[in-house]
Amino acid sequence: MTGERDLDALLRHMKPEMRPGIFVFCMIPPNEPIPASTSPLLTFREQEGTTLVILREEAEAAGLRTAFASRLITLTIHSALNAVGFLAAITARLAEAGISVNAVSAFHHDHLFVPADKADEAMAILQEMSRAKRL
């Protein structure tokens, strides 16, 4: 099954859902193993080290330094990996509202990490965007 590429359809049918919990970003030095006590939602290796995105409780229990306490909003439409403009439209609208976002595209869906204290506002904006009439 291929993902949706049409921008209007993506926006109209994105159906945002907020996952429970507070997620945080952590960094572990290069060549250091991921703590066995954690179950990262996301890992990304960079030259400077490995970024983990995990639940705040797991990070605290493992003694990891954390940054960017966020809520995770999943856009549940199956978006194509080569869709054009979907995240640009969303992040631009959230930026207009002063809401930062760290976006991650996976095989089926796009995921937005937004500041925990702005998550409800971000959800309202996304729901409004999905109801908006387009040309």
Side-chain angles (χ1 to χ4, degrees), residues 14-19 72-77 109-112 123 126:
M14 66 176 145
K15 295 185 184 120
E17 291 181 0
M18 192 169 348
R19 286 191 54 175
L72 172 56
I73 299 172
T74 296
L75 307 175
T76 62
I77 188 166
H109 307 289
D110 295 289
H111 309 272
L112 311 173
M123 275 294 290
L126 294 169

Side-chain angles (χ1 to χ4, degrees), residues 19-98:
R19 286 191 54 175
I22 303 292
F23 290 87
V24 293
F25 286 66
C26 305
M27 171 74 110
I28 57 174
N31 303 317
E32 186 174 306
I34 295 170
S37 63
T38 65
S39 181
L41 178 66
L42 173 72
T43 61
F44 197 92
R45 296 190 191 280
E46 296 180 286
Q47 193 171 338
E48 299 84 357
T50 301
T51 298
L52 307 177
V53 179
I54 60 178
L55 287 167
R56 182 169 50 192
E57 306 84 58
E58 286 186 26
E60 290 170 351
L64 297 171
R65 289 191 351 206
T66 67
F68 195 62
S70 57
R71 296 292 307 271
L72 172 56
I73 299 172
T74 296
L75 307 175
T76 62
I77 188 166
H78 180 183
S79 56
L81 289 168
N82 62 347
V84 175
F86 185 39
L87 287 177
I90 289 167
T91 57
R93 179 61 188 93
L94 292 173
E96 287 173 15

